[in-house]
Amino acid sequence: MALLDKINNPFFQEVGKIARFTARFFKEVSKPKQEWEEFINQCYWIGYKSLTLVGITAFIMGLVLTIQSRPTLVEFGAEALLPSMVSVSLVREIAPVITALICAGKIGSGIGAELGSMRVTEQIDAMEVSGTNPYKYLVVTRVLASTVMVPILSSIAIAISLYGGYLGTNLKGDVSWSLYWYQAFNALIYGDFIPSMIKTIFFGFAIGIVGCYKGYNSQKGTEGVGRSATTAVIVASLLVFILDLIAVQIADVLGLT
Amino acid sequence: METSKPIIQVDELNKSFGENHVLRDFSLSLFEGENLVILGKSGSGKSVLIKCIIRLIEPDSGKIFILDQDISLLDQDEMDLLRADVGFLFQSNALYDSMTVRQNLEFPLRRHWTKEEREEKAESAVKEALEDVGLSHTIDMMPVELSGGMRKRIALARTLILKPKVILYDEPTTGLDPITGREISELMNNIQKKYNTAAIIISHDMNCIRMTGNRVIMLIDGKNYAEGSFEDLLKNTDPKVRDFFEGL
């Protein structure tokens, strides 16, 4: 980290600062006396308050994927494989990544703007002078809540998108409720679920830590708050794709694909 | 006053931001029950000085003693405990805008009081602090519903809730109209009398300085340039000192 600071390149210096910020998270989270009340509060805001957005997006995602996939499968006479194809696509890749991107937009920008605003109005300093550790109260709780809630939101998104897929299948076809779910789950193995769940934990952590880093280190007044929120979304979204790429490679090496 | 031991002692403090050397071997002593005003131009390092005292900013060199403790030797927990004795009123008030007035005032208690103490005494402590600033009726309001002067009073009530021995005021009347500014200055004097607190007041509001300051230090070029009562400095013939008092 110190080495990255010495390199006279803003990008590497920023990477060094984020690494140090992340290291502090692990240091603070390992100490006793966590702010559990604030953690529960953040789970409510990050999880429950994102549910409607994630749910609607997931439903449309499942519906559209099914509608658009049908013509190709019909062309090859493989229409019966539609529920299987949709479920594998949604569980392995589409639902976790789309959920993470929605969360990067909503949660990342929300945390970035909130902490940024608190920084420029000296609220974070006020916490410090009152004897409260602002990093523990603000950062640790939000990163933990994001790490816990994004996998839960992703699981809910998978369920809702599969239901959207069922409706999409029946728009131009006739598949019974039980047959659709049988075919959807029959195509899935634990190797589809587990990597998907594990990567959403990392997505949630990345979204939380980037949002907090950008907000906590916000500068230059209201302009800086806006910049913090925007860059939090950009960096978190980019990290979601990078982590997804790494997760796919690891799953491939482990024979889980 | 100055025969007693200082509550805050600052020795040869230095702080730079790049090429900008804002504090140069700056020293001061604050005694019990005293209101010490630091007067200086904008950007002269006044706020940096009190942020160094509360350790929001680390100085480059120099020593700061609060209640006989060298703060550079304290770990984070020890410093947090010491902060219960040092209140800080921010220029921007720094009220937590997602919390009600009651929650704002209760916030400092969570670190310094046990859960049992909070359940037993927090309600009365909040009411007493609000009564001190004359805003008992705002207890369930949000900061956004308050006027600038009311926010300043609530911020002061939050500072008072732990009954600090010292209060650091960062430009307490800046941005307020003259009448509200005078009310805040009177409130600061009332608090000093009621709780016998010592205070360092950062200001360039001459009315506030005249009303509250027992002693004034002029911070010019990062140094303790001149020192004395308000009346002493009014009579000072040094051109740099005169600049501040022109038109009075």
Side-chain angles (χ1 to χ4, degrees):
Chain A
M1 280 183 260
L3 182 69
L4 287 170
D5 287 342
K6 283 177 189 166
I7 300 171
N8 192 19
N9 178 306
F11 173 77
F12 288 111
Q13 284 173 351
E14 187 75 353
V15 170
K17 285 177 191 167
I18 293 178
R20 201 162 24 242
F21 191 80
T22 308
R24 188 175 172 194
F25 169 82
F26 289 108
K27 187 180 156 197
E28 296 287 354
V29 85
S30 63
K31 289 180 184 171
K33 285 191 182 174
Q34 292 301 323
E35 304 279 357
W36 294 118
E37 203 176 314
E38 178 64 7
F39 166 71
I40 300 292
N41 183 35
Q42 288 306 317
C43 284
Y44 172 80
W45 283 106
I46 290 172
Y48 182 72
K49 287 287 183 182
S50 305
L51 200 53
T52 309
L53 181 63
V54 168
I56 292 170
T57 315
F59 177 76
I60 295 169
M61 194 165 58
L63 191 67
V64 169
L65 177 68
T66 312
I67 293 169
Q68 295 215 329
S69 301
R70 172 188 286 278
T72 311
L73 290 177
V74 168
E75 200 174 318
F76 290 100
E79 193 181 350
L81 292 175
L82 190 57
S84 310
M85 192 224 77
V86 167
S87 67
V88 170
S89 307
L90 288 172
V91 170
R92 276 191 179 183
E93 188 63 25
I94 299 174
V97 171
I98 298 290
T99 304
L101 289 175
I102 292 167
C103 290
K106 185 178 181 295
I107 301 169
S109 66
I111 293 175
E114 184 190 13
L115 297 197
S117 166
M118 291 183 77
R119 170 61 74 196
V120 300
T121 56
E122 298 181 304
Q123 292 176 52
I124 293 178
D125 288 341
M127 274 187 191
E128 197 160 347
V129 299
S130 76
T132 298
N133 180 342
Y135 191 97
K136 198 174 232 179
Y137 187 83
L138 297 171
V139 176
V140 171
T141 53
R142 280 159 178 76
V143 175
L144 279 181
S146 171
T147 308
V148 169
M149 294 318 293
V150 170
I152 293 173
L153 286 170
S154 173
S155 303
I156 294 168
I158 288 171
I160 294 173
S161 61
L162 284 173
Y163 178 71
Y166 167 74
L167 293 182
T169 308
N170 279 287
L171 280 177
K172 286 187 178 175
D174 187 17
V175 179
S176 71
W177 174 259
S178 55
L179 179 63
Y180 172 81
W181 289 105
Y182 173 77
Q183 287 189 333
F185 280 105
N186 200 36
L188 296 169
I189 55 171
Y190 280 113
D192 295 318
F193 279 109
I194 292 169
S196 162
M197 286 305 297
I198 292 173
K199 72 182 176 187
T200 54
I201 294 171
F202 285 97
F203 290 165
F205 179 79
I207 292 164
I209 206 84
V210 169
C212 286
Y213 171 77
K214 289 292 177 186
Y216 203 79
N217 295 294
S218 187
Q219 287 172 337
K220 296 178 185 172
T222 47
E223 184 197 346
V225 176
R227 195 177 298 154
S228 297
T230 310
T231 50
V233 175
I234 294 166
V235 176
S237 303
L238 187 63
L239 271 179
V240 165
F241 285 113
I242 292 170
L243 288 170
D244 189 43
L245 179 66
I246 294 168
V248 167
Q249 295 302 316
I250 292 171
D252 190 37
V253 169
L254 296 175
L256 294 171
T257 53
Chain B
M1 231 180 280
E2 295 183 22
T3 52
S4 60
K5 210 168 183 187
I7 289 184
I8 291 181
Q9 175 82 43
V10 176
D11 289 332
E12 298 181 345
L13 203 67
N14 284 282
K15 181 66 190 173
S16 301
F17 296 96
E19 297 296 307
N20 186 15
H21 205 150
V22 290
L23 294 174
R24 297 168 190 265
D25 294 328
F26 187 88
S27 300
L28 68 77
S29 300
L30 175 73
F31 297 91
E32 194 178 319
E34 180 187 32
N35 277 353
L36 171 63
V37 173
I38 309 290
L39 174 63
K41 286 197 292 187
S42 295
S44 61
K46 306 185 298 292
S47 297
V48 171
L49 170 67
I50 54 169
K51 284 181 178 174
C52 285
I53 291 173
I54 197 73
R55 219 168 85 177
L56 278 175
I57 295 175
E58 292 290 340
D60 298 334
S61 65
K63 289 281 183 192
I64 298 168
F65 297 88
I66 301 177
L67 300 168
D68 285 335
Q69 297 185 74
D70 180 347
I71 65 165
S72 66
L73 303 178
L74 302 180
D75 64 24
Q76 194 59 50
D77 279 343
E78 290 167 336
M79 188 64 210
D80 286 345
L81 288 176
L82 182 63
R83 280 169 171 160
D85 289 323
V86 186
F88 194 109
L89 183 71
F90 287 86
Q91 185 181 354
S92 63
N93 305 322
L95 292 176
Y96 309 125
D97 47 23
S98 60
M99 299 181 193
T100 63
V101 167
R102 181 198 302 273
Q103 290 166 331
N104 263 281
L105 266 65
E106 285 175 350
F107 197 87
L109 304 179
R110 52 200 300 291
R111 174 67 175 84
H112 300 286
W113 288 10
T114 63
K115 197 178 175 192
E116 291 73 30
E117 282 177 318
R118 290 204 301 272
E119 283 169 0
E120 196 184 324
K121 299 189 293 185
E123 180 77 16
S124 58
V126 167
K127 284 181 178 167
E128 188 190 349
L130 285 175
E131 276 166 22
D132 283 340
V133 299
L135 288 176
S136 300
H137 64 286
T138 62
I139 191 163
D140 291 317
M141 292 170 81
M142 298 298 286
V144 73
E145 298 173 87
L146 306 172
S147 67
M150 288 163 94
R151 275 185 228 166
K152 188 66 77 181
R153 285 166 178 265
I154 297 297
L156 188 51
R158 186 177 63 183
T159 306
L160 288 176
I161 199 150
L162 288 169
K163 304 274 191 301
K165 295 184 174 77
V166 189
I167 302 179
L168 309 176
Y169 294 95
D170 190 2
E171 308 208 11
T173 56
T174 298
L176 301 176
D177 63 82
I179 298 167
T180 310
R182 197 159 54 240
E183 287 170 359
I184 295 292
S185 301
E186 282 168 6
L187 188 58
M188 289 159 63
N189 282 338
N190 293 341
I191 286 163
Q192 184 202 21
K193 282 177 196 151
K194 183 173 178 184
Y195 297 108
N196 193 33
T197 51
I200 296 178
I201 302 161
I202 299 299
S203 184
H204 41 220
D205 174 354
M206 289 302 171
N207 286 326
C208 174
I209 294 167
R210 195 199 305 255
M211 284 176 72
T212 58
N214 304 124
R215 187 159 56 101
V216 181
I217 288 177
M218 298 206 65
L219 177 58
I220 298 175
D221 300 329
K223 292 179 177 173
N224 183 341
Y225 190 80
E227 185 175 345
S229 68
F230 186 81
E231 285 69 29
D232 290 340
L233 292 176
L234 262 180
K235 293 172 200 157
N236 195 309
T237 52
D238 186 290
K240 285 187 177 178
V241 176
R242 290 295 329 146
D243 279 350
F244 280 92
F245 297 95
E246 286 298 321
L248 281 182

